[in-house]
């Protein structure tokens, strides 16, 4: 995960490589599902070959523990998809 | 739709407002489905409250008829979702 600043607020950002567009959509949906369950929502960018995920906490204009938890869970989902 | 240039290549770009993150995911999936059927894939950005869609033709580094067709079909999907 990389730390990026958007409008001076930090975000956790990672790009997952995917074989096909459909794989990228699938991973985005899996991430969307855990986001809905936790009521904590990322920015997702889907393009041929990859999904980029960004986490931050809007009400803090920064990062909270939840962002790091969600980032770790994305890694788990991506590993399972790849495996 | 707006014409935007990325790396000097034109793209058709539009942002659809959605009530909830789940609505944004749903519209993104509907667009992803027609993209798979036509084997012509957009860039999708999903965030709380909206989906942004970009169309261009990679092998032309520009716009083709297919991009305009896909843009029109996105509008149909978005109207149906909203209706």
């Amino acid at each position: 995960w990389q730390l990026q600043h958007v409008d001076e607020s930090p975000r956790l950002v990672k790009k997952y490589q995917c074989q096909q567009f459909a794989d990228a959509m699938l991973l985005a949906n899996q991430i969307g599902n855990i986001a809905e369950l936790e009521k904590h929502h990322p920015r997702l960018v889907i393009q041929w070959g990859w999904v980029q995920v960004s986490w931050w906490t809007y009400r803090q204009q920064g990062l909270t523990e939840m962002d790091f938890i969600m980032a770790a869970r994305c890694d788990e989902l991506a590993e399972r998809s790849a495996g």
Side-chain angles (χ1 to χ4, degrees), chain A residues 23-66:
Chain A
D23 301 316
M25 283 298 309
L26 179 63
L27 181 56
N29 275 294
Q30 291 173 330
I31 293 169
N33 287 343
I34 62 170
E36 282 291 275
L37 286 172
E38 300 294 346
K39 301 197 191 312
H40 191 63
H41 298 90
R43 173 189 175 90
L44 297 169
V45 185
I46 303 161
Q47 208 167 314
W48 178 273
W50 51 264
V51 183
Q52 188 196 56
V53 186
S54 305
W55 291 104
W56 73 100
T57 301
Y58 184 77
R59 69 179 183 283
Q60 304 271 352
Q61 293 292 305
L63 297 173
T64 59
E65 190 183 7
M66 184 57 88

Side-chain angles (χ1 to χ4, degrees), chain A residues 16-29:
Chain A
Y16 295 102
Q17 301 298 323
C18 302
Q19 293 275 343
Q20 310 240 12
F21 187 83
D23 301 316
M25 283 298 309
L26 179 63
L27 181 56
N29 275 294

